[in-house]
Amino acid sequence: MSTAHGARARARIEVTAAIKDEARKQLAAEGAAKLSLRAVARELGMVSSALYRYFPSRDDLLTALIIDAYDSVGEAAEAARDTADAAGPVQRWIAVCEAVREWAFAHPHEYALIYGSPVPGYIAPDTTVPPASRVGLVLIGIVRDALRGPGLTMPPLPAELRPEAERMAADIAPDLPPAVATALVAAWAQMFGLIGFELFGQFHRVVEDRGTFFRHGAGRLAAGVGLR
Amino acid sequence: MSTAHGARARARIEVTAAIKDEARKQLAAEGAAKLSLRAVARELGMVSSALYRYFPSRDDLLTALIIDAYDSVGEAAEAARDTADAAGPVQRWIAVCEAVREWAFAHPHEYALIYGSPVPGYIAPDTTVPPASRVGLVLIGIVRDALRGPGLTMPPLPAELRPEAERMAADIAPDLPPAVATALVAAWAQMFGLIGFELFGQFHRVVEDRGTFFRHGAGRLAAGVGLR
DNA sequence: ACTAAAAAGAGAGCACTGCTCTTGCTTTGG
DNA sequence: CCAAAGCAAGAGCAGTGCTCTCTTTTTAGT
């Protein structure tokens, strides 16, 4: 077991969690750029150098927060999918999109951390890949179900894109037609375009009734993938 | 004239430009977070406090760079529109999208500055609004031209979105049908979703032939607005 | 059960940051 | 011609990430 190694290992887990919690608090309050190791340590009543026993650098702390954020938004998407279980594919798609949007507005700085500009010089380790895929996998699942249920309207696929479309489909969802997989990836990115523009203020003085606007946009994305 | 105020005013303009140039250099090299007033001053052979005569704070320098970046990408979009003058609306739309994408990859840190996460605590002054509108205005212009030329396929507009759609159209392009204006705003945000995801590494191990993928995506956005 | 090794905390220190304040010098305009 | 405004320089403050050394505590092997 992981608790087999006595009191020290247990303490380590607790301290690590406390550091992440405090860091998340500061992240939510001030954003990633103002997240300070020294401030975290100060708040926890420890000296700054002691913190380096748990996270070798500020970037490592950020990486931990990034993974947690991906898991958090992924969980929100999965929960929305499960709640809208009985509804049709389009309704479930929209429900998931709205859940992601709501998560983004509840955790703006964490959203910025994972979907905004990457911290300069920072390179995400491969550890972040699986958590980062969760939202995409939810969307893939909805389309997959639709394929076995009411079917899909096949999106267009020009000849020049066919090789890449087949490669992508084989990579991310071998049971989906290449045209659908391609449209899905595009819709996935476009959804975050809508959310990001709204969250980062680009809709200022442009869109007012943003909830309705987004709901309609999400529906059109679903149509673009072929859901009906 | 602006040169009426003698040598001192001229020097001020030159020094201001030199500061912005050096700042842009550092921005391109290391990103906004590592842009340091002291380093800029050092490189220019002046002491850091002297720089505050030109920009009252780091944020003010960033604001100047943001405005320049918006103007730069706007200019790129306008140039692409003018070059593709003879082509049809869809071709011109795609040309503009590709120009924006190319600008983004030529100036990744400037792109992150204006379309990525806003600097925490930073609030964009209204001075940035007109430059920020230029890309959108180019897209509006293409759709407007299409309306007077080959016509448009009207995008769907649900009843619940009609009031907001009419508000938006009146605000940004009174000569466009509300359904078109709404689809246009969405397509505008979605295009930056595609570009941002590619630029910020979300397509890592997902999309390989990204140029072809984007070209097709831009075309589908055009279709979503009703261009044909 | 004892001891060598590993882990953890504390503190000082380095090089850097944004920003302020004071002190002189130079250009400008009445 | 001379006061006023503009500008540069330097010192200094409070903060940052990170490293190094020193001491104490806990673990693990014989």
Side-chain angles (χ1 to χ4, degrees):
Chain A
M1 286 290 106
S2 59
T3 55
H5 290 298
R8 184 157 240 170
R10 210 165 329 152
R12 183 166 235 286
I13 293 173
E14 274 171 28
V15 174
T16 305
I19 292 172
K20 285 209 292 186
D21 280 357
E22 179 57 36
R24 214 188 325 276
K25 218 182 273 178
Q26 292 194 15
L27 177 65
E30 297 270 22
K34 294 203 176 169
L35 199 175
S36 145
L37 285 187
R38 292 183 106 112
V40 170
R42 205 181 304 134
E43 211 64 27
L44 261 48
M46 57 200 312
V47 86
S48 74
S49 60
L51 221 147
Y52 285 82
R53 302 265 177 213
Y54 297 89
F55 295 93
S57 80
R58 189 178 177 277
D59 275 2
D60 291 88
L61 216 197
L62 274 182
T63 299
L65 295 182
I66 285 174
I67 292 176
D68 286 1
Y70 273 127
D71 275 325
S72 176
V73 66
E75 223 169 290
E78 288 160 12
R81 172 201 56 192
D82 297 342
T83 301
D85 206 1
V90 174
Q91 289 312 312
R92 287 169 72 198
W93 173 283
I94 293 177
V96 167
C97 289
E98 289 196 302
V100 173
R101 173 173 175 264
E102 272 155 34
W103 183 91
F105 278 85
H107 311 82
H109 285 114
E110 295 183 60
Y111 181 92
L113 194 60
I114 57 182
Y115 293 115
S117 347
V119 183
Y122 172 83
I123 295 174
D126 285 350
T127 335
T128 64
V129 171
S133 317
R134 290 176 66 170
V135 170
L137 289 177
V138 170
L139 297 178
I140 290 175
I142 292 175
V143 174
R144 198 198 317 277
D145 289 353
L147 199 66
R148 299 179 183 178
L152 289 167
T153 306
M154 200 59 54
L157 181 65
E160 59 168 1
L161 192 55
R162 173 154 284 277
E164 171 67 4
E166 283 169 356
R167 219 217 77 258
M168 279 199 300
D171 241 40
I172 63 170
D175 52 341
L176 255 46
V180 174
T182 303
L184 183 50
V185 171
W188 169 63
Q190 287 168 6
M191 175 190 73
F192 284 101
L194 289 173
I195 294 173
F197 258 37
E198 182 181 350
L199 186 63
F200 295 153
Q202 300 277 359
F203 283 169
H204 181 63
R205 297 189 178 282
V206 178
V207 185
E208 295 286 335
D209 185 359
R210 294 172 191 169
T212 310
F213 179 79
F214 180 79
R215 169 176 282 274
H216 175 241
R220 297 232 64 205
L221 288 178
V225 178
L227 296 185
R228 54 183 148 102
Chain B
M1 287 286 107
S2 58
T3 55
H5 289 298
R8 183 154 242 172
R10 211 166 331 159
R12 181 165 239 286
I13 293 173
E14 274 171 29
V15 174
T16 305
I19 291 171
K20 284 209 291 185
D21 280 356
E22 178 58 34
R24 214 187 324 276
K25 218 183 274 181
Q26 292 193 16
L27 177 64
E30 297 270 22
K34 295 202 176 170
L35 199 174
S36 146
L37 285 187
R38 293 183 107 113
V40 170
R42 207 180 303 134
E43 210 65 25
L44 261 50
M46 57 199 318
V47 85
S48 74
S49 59
L51 222 148
Y52 285 82
R53 300 263 170 206
Y54 299 88
F55 296 94
S57 78
R58 190 179 176 276
D59 275 3
D60 291 271
L61 216 197
L62 273 183
T63 299
L65 295 183
I66 285 174
I67 291 175
D68 287 0
Y70 273 127
D71 275 324
S72 176
V73 66
E75 222 169 289
E78 288 160 13
R81 172 200 57 191
D82 297 341
T83 301
D85 206 2
V90 174
Q91 290 311 313
R92 286 169 72 197
W93 172 283
I94 293 176
V96 169
C97 289
E98 288 196 304
V100 174
R101 173 172 174 265
E102 272 155 34
W103 183 92
F105 278 86
H107 313 81
H109 287 113
E110 295 182 59
Y111 180 92
L113 195 60
I114 57 182
Y115 293 115
S117 346
V119 183
Y122 172 82
I123 294 174
D126 286 348
T127 334
T128 64
V129 170
S133 316
R134 289 176 67 170
V135 170
L137 289 177
V138 170
L139 297 178
I140 289 174
I142 292 176
V143 174
R144 197 196 320 275
D145 288 352
L147 200 65
R148 301 180 182 178
L152 289 167
T153 307
M154 202 57 58
L157 181 64
E160 58 167 1
L161 191 56
R162 173 155 282 279
E164 170 67 5
E166 282 169 358
R167 220 216 79 259
M168 280 198 300
D171 240 42
I172 62 169
D175 52 343
L176 255 44
V180 174
T182 303
L184 183 50
V185 171
W188 169 62
Q190 288 166 7
M191 176 190 72
F192 284 101
L194 288 172
I195 294 174
F197 258 38
E198 182 181 348
L199 185 64
F200 296 154
Q202 300 277 357
F203 283 169
H204 181 62
R205 297 191 177 282
V206 178
V207 184
E208 296 284 336
D209 185 359
R210 294 171 190 167
T212 309
F213 179 79
F214 180 80
R215 169 175 280 273
H216 176 241
R220 297 231 64 205
L221 288 178
V225 178
L227 297 184
R228 54 184 148 104

